[in-house]
Amino acid sequence: MRPFDYARADTTSDAATRAAAGATFLAGGTNLLDLMKLEVMAPEALVDVTRLDLHEVEATDESGLRIGALVTNSDLANHATVRAHYPVLSRALLSGATVQLRNKATTGGNLLQRTRCPYFYDTAAACNKRDPGTGCAAMEGRNRILAVLGASDHCIATHPSDMAVAMRALGARVVTEGPDGGRELDLGDLYRLPGDTPNIETVLSDGELITAVILPPPPAGAQSYVKVRDRASYAFALVSVAGVVAVEDGRITSANLAFGGLAPMPWRNEAVETALIGKAPSTETFDAAADILLADAKGHGDNDFKIPLARRTLRRALRELCERAA
Amino acid sequence: MDDTPRNADFDVALTMDAAQPPVLDRTVQGLLGTAMDRPDGPLKVTGTARYAAEALPENLVTGFLVRATITKGRVIGMKAEAVEAMPGVIRVMTGHPLLRNPAQGQAHQAPEQILPKVDYFGQPVALVVAETFEQARHAAQALVVTYEEEVAEVDPNAASQVDKPKASQLDQGDLEGAMRSSPVAIDTTYTTAPHSSAPMEPHASIAEWVDGRLQLRGSYQMLKHNVAELADSLGVDEARVRIHAPYVGGGFGSKLGIAPEAVAAAHAARELGRPVRVVMARDQVFEMTMRRTETTQRMRLACDADGLMTALAHEDRVSNLPGEAFSEPTAQGTHFLYGGANRRFTHEVARIHRPCAGSVRAPGEAVGMIALECAMDELAEAADIDPVELRIRNIPDTTPEGGQPYSERALERCLREGAERFGWSQRRGMAERLEGDWWVGMGVAAAVRTNMMEESIARVTLRPDGTALCETDMTDIGTGSYAILTQIVGEMLGLPREKVEVQIGDSDLPKSSGSGGSFGAQSCGSAVFLACQGVRKHLAERMEVAPDDLTLRDGRATGGNRQVALTDLVEAPMSAEGHVKPGETEDNFSIAGYGAHFAEVGVHRDTGEVRVHRMLGVFSIGRVLNMKTATSQCHGGMIWGIGSALTEEIMHDPRDGRIVNHNLAEYHIPVSLDVPQLDAMLLEDTRDDQANPIQAKGIGELGISGAAAAVGNAIRNACGVRVRDFPATPDKIFPHLPDVT
Amino acid sequence: MDVTITVNGTERKLELDPRVTLLDALRHELGLTGTKKGCDHGQCGACTILVNGRRINSCLALAASHDGDEITTIEGLGTPENMHPLQTAFVTHDGYQCGYCTPGQIMSAEAMLREAAEGWPSYVSKTLDADPTLTDEEIAERMSGNLCRCSAYPRIREAIAAVRDARNATKEAAE
């Protein structure tokens, strides 16, 4: 871990100013410190934002929920409104990491966590995300946990969050504050696909701080988060599906679906959802949706299995959701 | 160390040349065998037990190891000056005497010291010492090392150098003929992934030279060998090395031999004249200590219409670095578990440049039994015979290769009692039991683990205050040494547990076997037992009775019509050494621990995820020394079985052999949720008189041997998928799952 | 930099490199080695402590960031002569082997029992609507952040269940 200057921010604007001058935000630190110890990340300055007043979960005027960026993963998963009306989010959070980590990890930090790609983590490996232009050792390496959708020839990293997958399915929006003022954007627009600049993961500008996540009113239908992983707990997703599905008179009337473990960002493809609307739940219906989801999927050897596994996981999630929604 | 000459009149030595009488069945204290709590427990649960890295001697500095970032070649440059100019940095050390990899178990000499040569990705190439941990870690990361790289082979299947150790090849009878002529024959190949011991305590040492003698607080399993290895590595006399290891945070084989951090710390402390602490970072534990090799195992089995085996072949390939004597004895248990006149064993060691391979819990059986016991399941299926029954029918009368008799062997009983207890009769046909979204099925496997007893010395002193002191350089790596040695002394000398003090984990104490190969409790325990016999003889003399006529209980000696308190009988400390050595019984008998594993699993109908619902292990190991700690050992082994069946796999990069998942997030040891409540049952009435004078065999490794196969066989029964490449992660299962109609 | 933390009820003033984690501050600066370092990356749970009453991995926490916080470590729970009920239960049930992960297990268990009493759900909770019942499976999931390579899991859960039952009995008696 490289030496760094440490400062604690008293206000959001103070934090933004320091970050604009080059400091890295420190919130829960569960991923940042992990990476700093390996010098995968080596900021010269940290600005500690943990004491900023961003710890509240509040109802919005639109009957949605505003989640402060520093609300811990535990507090969010346990929140009465989230449990009652956004169970997919609660479940996704509870499926991620451990209580110890969720007690420290924050909402904003979770959205911005870095990939678990082993070559990104190994400073002695080529990685375009860590060291642009060095190549991608994962492409022909051990890429079991890496992406089959949305990747590029330069990077096949996956985004490891569970929480963000559920939020994507719920149509969450992200609120930021920066030196040039604040903005609100769709969670899907926060992320950038790797293309030829995998080192740039979001649209956030220097000094721009996520201050809140806004959930729209709870959607109709059944909600679930299905996560497939290599051990029963304390493991990242191979494939996960966050789903909200409504069924009326034997027909699917609405479907919101997002996917984890498959792509460099929490993945959503509205064509998959459209294909389900008006259909009677059946394996054929589910597989048709999977066909759309996976039309452009590309494996790299070790991770080829994720393509059929995604189909099966979607099948399982939709079967369960439709049974419960009916 | 006390240098006063001691009276050796009552020392007792025994070479195991003949069966031993069950003395411990005639003692009356009633302490041995009970589920006594560990005496070290209160220290462990309160955080007061001090492990290797947990001292703060004055002037302590920290060293951090630097790893090679090439697979093969040599270090040609190191920008040490730049790093030594950084704040707090004291010295960069490289070259001799740094180790390439740890010593193999019982090596008793220095392992390879090859710098500036590099033989694998992750090999230690330097130690950076600084005033603080933070400074040392950053300096180690900042150190620029340049290399001259050579082409390296890293794929065991494509290796150009493949050794075939002569002693490990066997061709008996006519295997091919038997395979052809038998009505049932299978030819099947299994592969297992490399494993990491991954003890929770990383390898750690604090080295300090006091008056020219090295005091090393280390985390090691076998101190007498570790002293020799450390001294040889440093080029000093053994008398100048002392190792303290009172608590060891898990070993599982990875702390059998001296490891790079100890030698680096000792060397740096000598050069700098200050105490030096070196703790491996977790990724270094993966890279710089022993891994269990990957294996490829071809199994050929045949039987007649009644299920009697006619052919058995176990042919395997493992790997290791060039120059390493160890190779995973994959087929060790296969040689004597089942009959079959026509037999073949071949064993190949591919020389490749992956991190060093060595002993990991139950080397041999842990992975060899996966192939053997899954293949037995395949044979049972092909022969249409119940898998429990097939195994029982093939238990040989004498060893199928040497014709030796077996010592205590309750395999059939373990299988039968286990089947009854588990409800084996409720097992259904393949893929016949769908519960909700889960296919449910049962599997069985036999357990066997070769038994070893090693030379061991211990000293027991009965003191005038009626307490006893037991001294040996034995270690407690979680196995329960403190507990069982307390119990043996208490049982033999008629003392309650609180009157017995056990001092271990110090290389200056009498030299024991150390912990490894499941031989620790029986070897060291036998030495302690013999020392106690010496003390009893002394007491008998004082009582003027024959030793056999002496009864010791609750601090009182009874014999010759009188009863005397030990505090009145013992005027000066009575001390005796016990010394046990293996002898002819291990050549004349096949001595092993046996058992049976039963598992019930669920396999998800869509995703192929596996969950173990229930698991039973029934084991026979001769005398059980402590029911509580022995059962915990069984649990540990069974859960390692679950790990090797379902989750554990070191992933090597195919190009440079580096360990890609060198962390505990992606090397998946089982977590609590992977493990159901287990049923582990130890037969309490068995004794092995041929094994040693306490009639006890090893238990630390038996629990893993065969456990993974029971899980694999249960997967087959549940959903019809036969996994032949372990671990059985979802991707190996879901493509083959049956459709649910 | 100057950092003040309260450890097991005692205020400790430290002058630290900003890089020092809570874990290393405890082990290297304060000599409180009951809190263990297993992986240093939040992947094993051996370093679990309570900060302001909640369990965290102390390896992934900068001491500087916890200036002013209340910290409880295993040393603050009990002593060999006066053990906390969980410590006693771990000894009785043999809920450990090598002992290295044990302080983390016990700190985690103490926090877990409080979380359950506060109604926190888990990944295996059948419903999010009601307060959870601490079944063996619930304990297993909630303790899955604490690896034990000796694999004492079954008995760790038995030990915790014993304390759960004792607390429930006390609660019922009080009601």
Side-chain angles (χ1 to χ4, degrees):
Chain A
M1 189 185 288
R2 212 160 75 174
F4 54 83
D5 292 325
Y6 171 89
R8 182 177 284 177
D10 298 322
T11 63
T12 311
S13 62
D14 176 27
T17 308
R18 287 177 187 274
T24 297
F25 295 121
L26 170 69
T30 50
N31 190 209
L32 179 60
L33 294 179
D34 169 35
L35 290 163
M36 284 173 66
K37 286 181 184 195
L38 300 166
E39 300 198 5
V40 174
M41 291 178 76
E44 287 177 1
L46 289 185
V47 53
D48 185 340
V49 300
T50 53
R51 310 287 165 119
L52 298 183
D53 190 16
L54 303 170
H55 296 270
E56 298 299 316
V57 180
E58 304 157 312
T60 62
D61 294 343
E62 294 77 33
S63 304
L65 216 54
R66 183 188 174 94
I67 302 158
L70 292 171
V71 173
T72 65
N73 289 178
S74 286
D75 284 345
L76 188 55
N78 295 337
H79 194 273
T81 309
V82 177
R83 285 165 69 170
H85 301 296
Y86 303 95
V88 61
L89 177 55
S90 214
R91 293 274 180 201
L93 282 159
L94 293 171
S95 78
T98 67
V99 182
Q100 287 99 312
L101 289 163
R102 297 197 293 268
N103 279 344
K104 198 90 169 70
T106 65
T107 304
N110 188 312
L111 293 177
L112 297 180
Q113 67 183 296
R114 314 291 303 273
T115 182
R116 286 299 307 177
C117 175
Y119 299 96
F120 172 69
Y121 262 84
D122 188 343
T123 50
C127 174
N128 288 323
K129 184 186 282 297
R130 191 186 62 246
D131 296 310
T134 54
C136 173
M139 205 66 75
E140 288 168 10
R142 299 304 297 261
N143 50 45
R144 173 178 173 78
I145 64 172
L146 299 179
V148 294
L149 288 170
S152 73
D153 292 342
H154 302 273
C155 181
I156 55 173
T158 35
H159 193 271
S161 173
D162 293 297
M163 181 196 82
V165 178
M167 285 183 170
R168 188 90 209 271
L170 290 168
R173 297 179 68 73
V174 174
V175 185
T176 72
E177 214 172 300
D180 307 324
R183 59 171 159 162
E184 196 180 306
L185 65 165
D186 187 88
L187 177 57
D189 295 331
L190 173 69
Y191 299 104
R192 288 173 45 134
L193 289 177
D196 54 8
T197 54
N199 52 313
I200 306 171
E201 295 171 351
T202 70
V203 299
L204 297 178
S205 55
D206 288 345
E208 191 172 2
L209 177 70
I210 295 176
T211 55
V213 171
I214 292 177
L215 298 182
Q223 302 185 17
S224 84
Y225 188 72
V226 175
K227 178 175 177 177
V228 180
R229 44 184 156 176
D230 278 330
R231 70 181 167 193
S233 188
Y234 206 177
F236 293 93
L238 293 169
V239 177
S240 70
V241 179
V244 186
V245 172
V247 177
E248 280 173 36
D249 301 331
R251 302 272 160 186
I252 297 169
T253 53
S254 71
N256 300 317
L257 297 165
F259 302 86
L262 297 178
M265 60 187 279
W267 195 253
R268 190 168 177 182
N269 179 341
E270 281 172 16
V272 175
E273 299 164 12
T274 309
L276 292 165
I277 308 294
K279 302 277 169 33
S282 70
T283 304
E284 291 69 33
T285 301
F286 305 155
D287 280 357
D291 288 341
I292 295 169
L293 172 72
L294 300 166
D296 297 325
K298 185 182 169 200
H300 296 86
D302 276 5
N303 70 348
D304 290 348
F305 76 94
K306 280 191 174 182
I307 299 170
L309 183 59
R311 171 181 301 276
R312 286 171 165 271
T313 310
L314 178 60
R315 207 186 275 168
R316 167 179 168 184
L318 287 172
R319 191 176 67 235
E320 288 170 8
L321 281 164
C322 290
E323 279 168 15
R324 278 173 37 212
Chain B
M1 198 163 51
D2 183 5
D3 288 333
T4 46
R6 46 182 303 282
N7 177 354
D9 292 354
F10 296 99
D11 290 357
V12 178
L14 171 73
T15 301
M16 268 309 291
D17 289 331
Q20 294 298 306
V23 172
L24 287 165
D25 287 320
R26 298 197 291 265
T27 52
V28 296
Q29 184 61 29
L31 187 59
L32 192 65
T34 65
M36 189 189 90
D37 293 343
R38 295 168 198 252
D40 44 321
L43 297 179
K44 285 179 173 173
V45 300
T46 55
T48 27
R50 295 249 166 186
Y51 294 79
E54 300 181 347
L56 289 171
E58 232 168 278
N59 276 325
L60 179 70
V61 294
T62 300
F64 201 92
L65 289 161
V66 179
R67 68 167 184 162
T69 56
I70 62 162
T71 304
K72 188 168 186 284
R74 55 197 301 121
V75 176
I76 54 169
M78 198 171 276
K79 294 197 171 152
E81 303 77 22
V83 160
E84 283 170 348
M86 292 167 67
V89 177
I90 299 167
R91 189 83 64 86
V92 176
M93 292 170 175
T94 184
H96 201 80
L98 298 192
L99 305 183
R100 180 183 74 171
N101 50 259
Q104 298 286 351
Q106 301 173 305
H108 215 78
Q109 60 183 16
E112 299 278 356
Q113 297 166 293
I114 64 164
L115 283 172
K117 275 178 61 192
V118 171
D119 263 351
Y120 66 92
F121 201 107
Q123 178 189 315
V125 292
L127 180 78
V128 180
V129 184
E131 294 291 341
T132 71
F133 167 69
E134 290 74 21
Q135 291 164 340
R137 179 178 58 191
H138 175 53
Q141 286 160 331
L143 182 67
V144 176
V145 183
T146 47
Y147 302 93
E148 195 173 83
E149 229 179 314
E150 293 169 36
V151 176
E153 292 189 349
V154 296
D155 179 357
N157 296 318
S160 55
Q161 190 195 337
V162 177
D163 295 345
K164 297 181 179 176
K166 232 184 182 140
S168 305
Q169 325 295 325
L170 178 98
D171 208 343
Q172 173 178 309
D174 176 10
L175 182 88
E176 270 88 7
M179 287 289 291
R180 270 194 309 273
S181 62
S182 298
V184 184
I186 59 150
D187 182 347
T188 182
T189 298
Y190 284 80
T191 52
T192 62
H195 299 148
S196 178
S197 289
M200 296 315 299
E201 180 200 23
H203 294 59
S205 290
I206 296 178
E208 189 174 6
W209 292 79
V210 181
D211 300 329
R213 190 168 188 232
L214 173 63
Q215 306 286 328
L216 186 112
R217 295 163 204 273
S219 187
Y220 284 98
Q221 299 180 222
M222 312 178 83
L223 302 191
K224 73 179 175 197
H225 300 299
N226 304 137
V227 164
E229 291 149 5
L230 185 50
D232 190 26
S233 300
L234 296 166
V236 302
D237 193 84
E238 281 183 38
R240 290 181 59 203
V241 173
R242 181 176 182 182
I243 300 179
H244 304 266
Y247 301 100
V248 178
F252 316 110
S254 77
K255 295 169 181 171
L256 289 176
I258 210 74
E261 97 294 336
V263 173
H267 173 58
R270 183 170 57 180
E271 294 294 308
L272 301 174
R274 296 177 69 176
V276 177
R277 171 180 61 210
V278 181
V279 181
M280 286 194 193
R282 179 51 64 179
D283 48 1
Q284 296 174 338
V285 176
F286 276 92
E287 292 175 336
M288 297 176 184
T289 74
M290 301 303 193
R291 67 185 179 99
R292 189 203 302 284
T293 177
E294 68 292 323
T295 70
T296 302
Q297 306 177 55
R298 182 183 181 195
M299 308 299 301
R300 279 179 285 176
L301 278 65
C303 65
D304 65 18
D306 296 327
L308 282 174
M309 285 167 71
T310 51
L312 172 57
H314 193 161
E315 298 171 283
D316 69 88
R317 175 175 287 202
V318 301
S319 73
N320 209 342
L321 282 169
E324 287 298 310
F326 175 88
S327 69
E328 182 88 15
T330 313
Q332 191 163 257
T334 311
H335 284 288
F336 60 91
L337 183 58
Y338 300 121
N342 304 288
R343 307 170 79 83
R344 180 174 300 161
F345 292 83
T346 63
H347 177 61
E348 297 179 338
V349 189
R351 295 296 171 186
I352 54 169
H353 293 269
R354 290 180 173 184
C356 193
S359 293
V360 177
R361 197 173 197 164
E365 285 88 335
V367 281
M369 294 286 290
I370 295 178
L372 174 62
E373 287 300 284
C374 287
M376 281 298 279
D377 207 57
E378 292 196 48
L379 186 69
E381 203 178 302
D384 197 20
I385 296 173
D386 179 87
V388 172
E389 190 56 34
L390 178 74
R391 285 173 171 83
I392 290 169
R393 283 183 204 175
N394 284 290
I395 297 174
D397 295 332
T398 56
T399 59
E401 292 156 26
Q404 290 169 314
Y406 291 88
S407 67
E408 185 276 323
R409 178 181 53 156
L411 176 58
E412 178 174 353
R413 212 178 126 192
C414 291
L415 283 161
R416 289 211 190 279
E417 290 186 18
E420 175 70 30
R421 190 175 169 102
F422 196 69
W424 182 253
S425 61
Q426 303 301 306
R427 177 177 181 258
R428 307 253 289 270
M430 223 175 350
E432 286 184 3
R433 192 174 156 197
L434 184 67
E435 297 181 359
D437 283 343
W438 296 82
W439 295 103
V440 180
M442 295 183 196
V444 66
V448 68
R449 172 67 180 162
T450 313
N451 194 66
M452 290 170 274
M453 206 264 293
E454 299 284 322
E455 181 174 4
S456 231
I457 305 174
R459 181 167 58 236
V460 173
T461 306
L462 183 59
R463 299 182 285 209
D465 65 357
T467 63
L469 172 67
C470 170
E471 297 169 290
T472 148
D473 77 346
M474 181 61 185
T475 49
D476 190 331
I477 62 172
T479 40
S481 304
Y482 284 103
I484 60 122
L485 298 184
T486 298
Q487 287 170 289
I488 292 170
V489 173
E491 188 63 45
M492 285 294 287
L493 300 185
L495 297 173
R497 57 169 291 185
E498 60 274 10
K499 296 284 186 191
V500 180
E501 181 188 348
V502 172
Q503 277 187 12
I504 58 174
D506 175 350
S507 66
D508 276 0
L509 296 173
K511 298 183 190 325
S512 74
S513 60
S515 301
S518 296
F519 51 64
Q522 59 181 298
S523 306
C524 181
S526 291
V528 169
F529 164 86
L530 294 174
C532 288
Q533 280 205 316
V535 174
R536 285 179 66 100
K537 198 170 147 218
H538 198 161
L539 284 171
E541 273 188 17
R542 295 297 305 261
M543 289 287 284
E544 297 175 341
V545 296
D548 284 352
D549 295 335
L550 181 71
T551 303
L552 298 174
R553 184 175 189 172
D554 294 332
R556 304 182 74 81
T558 308
N561 275 331
R562 64 185 185 122
Q563 193 178 74
V564 185
L566 291 180
T567 47
D568 294 330
L569 198 61
V570 182
E571 286 161 0
M574 289 181 181
S575 185
E577 276 191 3
H579 188 164
V580 71
K581 282 185 198 171
E584 287 174 17
T585 60
E586 71 174 28
D587 301 324
N588 296 339
F589 291 86
S590 174
I591 307 176
Y594 288 88
H597 293 282
F598 295 83
E600 182 178 289
V601 305
V603 181
H604 196 277
R605 57 176 271 201
D606 295 305
T607 57
E609 294 158 280
V610 179
R611 298 286 179 266
V612 179
H613 293 170
R614 294 195 295 139
M615 204 164 172
L616 164 68
V618 184
F619 305 104
S620 178
I621 53 157
R623 187 189 306 280
V624 176
L625 303 175
N626 179 317
M627 191 48 83
K628 191 171 278 187
T629 55
T631 304
S632 287
Q633 286 296 300
C634 298
H635 286 177
M638 290 162 74
I639 294 167
W640 276 58
I642 293 174
S644 56
L646 300 180
T647 60
E648 290 188 42
E649 175 175 16
I650 286 179
M651 295 184 188
H652 295 279
D653 184 277
R655 296 154 297 191
D656 57 26
R658 84 175 77 185
I659 297 177
V660 167
N661 56 340
H662 52 194
N663 61 66
L664 293 172
E666 272 96 16
Y667 182 84
H668 292 130
I669 75 169
V671 298
S672 201
L673 194 63
D674 288 300
V675 179
Q677 278 299 339
L678 302 175
D679 189 3
M681 184 182 143
L682 286 152
L683 302 186
E684 289 184 67
D685 54 351
T686 55
R687 302 284 182 267
D688 197 325
D689 299 336
Q690 309 294 348
N692 49 58
I694 60 175
Q695 290 85 28
K697 292 182 283 195
I699 187 59
E701 299 170 312
L702 181 60
I704 181 175
S705 304
V711 174
N713 293 339
I715 293 170
R716 170 70 170 178
N717 177 244
C719 66
V721 179
R722 171 63 69 189
V723 175
R724 293 190 180 85
D725 176 24
F726 286 85
T729 45
D731 49 305
K732 309 215 182 112
I733 297 174
F734 76 74
H736 315 291
L737 285 169
D739 286 329
V740 176
T741 44
Chain C
M1 61 184 299
D2 294 325
V3 176
T4 303
I5 49 178
T6 301
V7 183
N8 302 326
T10 306
E11 193 175 275
R12 310 295 294 257
K13 290 185 189 305
L14 298 166
E15 201 197 319
L16 297 174
D17 184 325
R19 291 175 289 183
V20 174
T21 60
L22 270 182
L23 174 60
D24 289 329
L26 291 168
R27 285 173 67 83
H28 297 162
E29 306 293 327
L30 298 174
L32 290 171
T33 53
T35 306
K36 304 302 182 192
K37 182 183 284 191
C39 72
D40 220 12
H41 287 273
Q43 298 164 355
C44 78
C47 67
T48 302
I49 59 170
L50 307 188
V51 173
N52 302 332
R54 287 203 178 176
R55 52 173 158 162
I56 67 160
N57 299 121
S58 60
C59 72
L60 291 183
L62 289 181
S65 187
H66 286 276
D67 189 43
D69 283 349
E70 297 264 352
I71 286 155
T72 309
T73 70
I74 191 73
E75 289 92 347
L77 224 56
T79 62
E81 295 74 31
N82 186 20
M83 290 192 282
H84 179 280
L86 274 166
Q87 292 170 323
T88 307
F90 269 64
V91 174
T92 311
H93 290 269
D94 215 40
Y96 56 81
Q97 289 172 38
C98 80
Y100 197 77
C101 74
T102 311
Q105 299 278 0
I106 292 173
M107 296 312 292
S108 206
E110 174 56 30
M112 188 273 286
L113 290 169
R114 295 187 204 173
E115 292 155 6
E118 288 173 30
W120 291 26
S122 87
Y123 169 69
V124 299
S125 300
K126 298 288 173 274
T127 168
L128 299 175
D129 303 337
D131 283 352
T133 307
L134 270 190
T135 59
D136 185 59
E137 188 190 26
E138 282 278 3
I139 296 174
E141 161 59 17
R142 290 160 192 262
M143 291 299 295
S144 279
N146 292 81
L147 305 188
C148 172
R149 186 51 157 167
C150 298
S151 306
Y153 299 126
R155 289 176 153 183
I156 289 170
R157 302 205 301 258
E158 281 177 15
I160 295 170
V163 175
R164 169 202 65 195
D165 293 345
R167 288 190 187 178
N168 286 344
T170 311
K171 203 172 138 199
E172 278 165 27
E175 280 165 4

